[in-house]
Amino acid sequence: MLLTVLGCSGSIGGPTSPASGYLVEVEGIGPVVIDMGPGVLGALQRYASPETATVLLSHLHADHCLDVPGLLVLRRFGPEAEHAVRMPLIGPSGTAYRIGVASSEEPGAVDDLSDTFEVGSWEVTPDVELRGDDDEVALRVRADRVDHPPESYGLRLTSADGRVLAYSGDTAYCEALIQLAAGADVFLCEASWTHEEGRPPGIHMSGAEAGRTARLAGVGRLVLTHIPPWTDSEAVRAEAAAEFDGEVMLAEPDLRLEV
Ligand SMILES: [Zn+2]
Ligand SMILES: [Zn+2]
């Protein structure tokens, strides 16, 4: 399983990175994109064909999903539109409606995405199997609710050869994430703040909390992500490294990791 960071800037796109978006490639199926914030569709074009991508959304904050309307335009009107196939778009409840509103041409209208996307819901189907042409399962995805204001999910991806990538999505420190990340080879974890007094509860994690989660989950490698442009990333990394003995990396655009 190959992970490529397309964008990792927290909360908004930054001067050196798009907002959240990650490409996952495994044998047997087309590209899988986790989150698609502003700028991610452009970065994706450097690595894979967006026409055949499966898109998994952790939640529907703008910084995680607002390049999906662009992907819809590409599939509907782009040079490959004639051969377009419907690809899975899986997210929280209301994904079809919210992306449909963002894609509409008139106030109050909702674009019908069903010509280009097969929309699924984590709430209805938290366990998803992505199969190749040979009908073998190439990637298993498990979603679980995490602690963030809208309906938000962390994801656990397991390849056919048993490698595991865990992704926090956006979340405060929570037990569900420790369970979801248990024993993961690579843990892609948000750390939006340093561990200072006065942090609002139930939104994001500090570097210290990301490191603690990695330690309690017993992961192999910790990759810190979703650090906003105004947060000191080296301070976040130092906090995480003080809690977790394993390798701690900062996500950066175009980072490619064999999971
Ligand atoms: Zn975010
Ligand atoms: Zn969020």
Side-chain angles (χ1 to χ4, degrees):
M1 175 157 42
L2 181 63
L3 166 69
T4 302
V5 175
L6 302 172
C8 55
S9 180
S11 301
I12 61 168
T16 59
S17 175
S20 293
Y22 311 93
L23 170 63
V24 173
E25 293 167 282
V26 293
E27 291 270 319
I29 54 172
V32 175
V33 179
I34 304 175
D35 284 344
M36 199 171 247
V40 169
L41 179 58
L44 175 61
Q45 292 168 61
R46 293 201 292 274
Y47 295 102
S49 161
E51 278 91 345
T52 58
T54 290
V55 179
L56 312 177
L57 298 178
S58 64
H59 65 301
L60 295 171
H61 270 155
D63 61 314
H64 295 256
C65 71
L66 275 191
D67 255 6
V68 179
L71 179 57
L72 181 134
V73 168
L74 178 67
R75 289 191 180 161
R76 194 177 280 166
F77 304 110
E80 299 298 320
E82 234 177 278
H83 315 289
V85 286
R86 296 166 79 228
M87 294 300 296
L89 167 65
I90 310 174
S93 317
T95 293
Y97 176 78
R98 297 279 300 281
I99 300 297
V101 167
S103 304
S104 74
E105 294 181 322
E106 306 288 341
V110 184
D111 190 280
D112 178 0
L113 316 179
S114 61
D115 59 328
T116 53
F117 293 110
E118 205 172 302
V119 182
S121 151
W122 297 127
E123 195 180 36
V124 176
T125 314
D127 289 288
V128 170
E129 292 176 341
L130 299 176
R131 292 170 184 270
D133 292 338
D134 57 3
D135 208 37
E136 295 292 315
V137 177
L139 193 67
R140 286 175 209 281
V141 185
R142 165 134 199 267
D144 201 6
R145 283 288 287 269
V146 290
D147 187 11
H148 192 60
E151 183 185 317
S152 301
Y153 295 86
L155 302 176
R156 180 184 178 93
L157 282 68
T158 307
S159 61
D161 59 357
R163 304 296 288 178
V164 175
L165 168 68
Y167 171 53
S168 64
D170 282 7
T171 182
Y173 182 79
C174 64
E175 182 62 30
L177 183 60
I178 298 169
Q179 300 296 328
L180 197 67
D185 297 287
V186 172
F187 180 32
L188 184 58
C189 185
E190 79 118 288
S192 302
W193 297 321
T194 51
H195 201 73
E196 281 164 31
E197 291 293 308
R199 289 170 291 117
I203 302 180
H204 290 301
M205 278 190 285
S206 66
E209 289 167 324
R212 195 172 310 151
T213 303
R215 170 164 50 81
L216 295 174
V219 305
R221 269 203 277 197
L222 171 62
V223 182
L224 298 169
T225 193
H226 200 275
I227 301 175
W230 53 83
T231 294
D232 180 346
S233 56
E234 285 305 328
V236 167
R237 188 219 296 255
E239 284 185 0
E243 289 275 350
F244 176 62
D245 279 344
E247 186 181 356
V248 179
M249 305 174 70
L250 292 175
E252 56 180 78
D254 303 305
L255 173 71
R256 306 197 94 187
L257 268 187
E258 198 67 54
V259 174

